[in-house]
């Protein structure tokens, strides 16, 4: 079953074609990685799925709804970008609760949901009241994932989420993401220029270059290409 349908989408900035007639169907529960060099159009594609940008041509469907006229906050999407955009002076709990409070959920439910999500990302429950700024890089990364998934989004978008980490931590977080995906069945659209990262996590890989889709295949069938 297809959750997100990118249907012949083109994005132009003036005369520059950032995304050129791209079609990608993304299946329920799939870990889809969009792989390509810098400037390929990956972030533009992700921003159109999130609703920060609008396609010039074509349409994106989420759960069969055309979403071009839907603002980002109606799309039920979780986001983790390279800049984690956490609030360092606020506690772990306050950071994770932020999207829940925006949705005006009951405070008692929030506590239960936060405990569950902390367990999922394997942060100790007693970290709840620590300021995020006191945590290590890897722990902050886990908080960012927790905040993105706490309200059970239809879709999780990851834009180079591990690129600010050092090599060892990056490898650790790759297997953590794979584990979280396996435990939740979340549909994930992940963007990276890093082939190793793509091959180690994705179910399928969409290779884009110069705005165009060059390959779309299961990760184990994708060889070579930077
Ligand atoms: P990637 O994420 O693969 O590095 P981007 O999607 O950021 O690529 O960019 C694709 C192309 O579109 C690049 O040539 C970039 O300079 C251009 N671009 C992206 N955003 C804008 C914008 N807001 N205005 C003009 N050009 C843009
Ligand atoms: P990049 O991953 O390319 O660094 P940025 O995080 O700088 O992307 O964001 C690029 C654009 O996306 C900005 O113009 C901003 O308006 C929009 N954007 C990013 N994050 C959000 C967000 N959480 N809510 C709304 N718009 C956002």
């Amino acid at each position: 079953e297809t959750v997100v349908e990118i249907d012949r989408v083109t994005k132009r900035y003036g005369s520059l074609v950032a995304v050129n007639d791209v079609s990608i169907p993304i299946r329920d529960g799939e870990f889809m990685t969009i792989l390509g060099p810098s400037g390929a159009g990956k972030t533009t594609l992700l921003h159109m799925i999130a609703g920060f940008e609008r396609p010039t041509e074509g349409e994106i469907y989420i759960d069969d709804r055309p979403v071009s006229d839907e603002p980002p906050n109606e799309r039920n999407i979780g986001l983790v970008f390279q800049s984690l955009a956490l609030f360092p002076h606020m506690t772990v709990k306050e950071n994770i609760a932020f999207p829940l409070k925006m949705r005006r959920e009951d405070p008692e439910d929030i506590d239960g949901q936060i405990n569950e999500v902390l367990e999922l990302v394997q942060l100790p429950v007693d970290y709840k009241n620590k300021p995020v700024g006191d945590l290590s890089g890897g722990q902050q990364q886990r908080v960012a994932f927790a905040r993105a998934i706490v309200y059970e989004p239809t879709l999780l978008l990851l834009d180079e989420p591990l690129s600010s980490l050092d090599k060892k931590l990056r490898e650790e977080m790759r297997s953590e993401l794979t584990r979280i995906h396996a435990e939740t069945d979340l549909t994930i659209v992940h963007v990276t220029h890093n082939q190793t990262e793509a091959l180690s996590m994705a179910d399928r890989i969409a290779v884009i270059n110069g705005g165009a889709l060059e390959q779309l295949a299961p990760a184990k069938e994708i060889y070579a290409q930077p």
Side-chain angles (χ1 to χ4, degrees), residues 159-175:
D159 190 350
E160 304 273 5
L162 310 183
S163 54
S164 63
L165 304 176
D166 65 38
K167 189 164 181 290
K168 184 163 174 289
L169 204 48
R170 200 152 61 220
E171 279 164 19
E172 181 185 323
M173 291 310 297
R174 273 181 206 150
S175 43

Side-chain angles (χ1 to χ4, degrees), residues 114-133:
I114 287 179
N115 291 348
E116 267 177 48
V117 82
L118 284 176
E119 192 180 335
L120 179 63
V121 302
Q122 296 191 347
L123 274 176
V125 165
D126 59 7
Y127 275 42
K128 261 196 297 198
N129 297 315
K130 287 190 190 215
V132 156

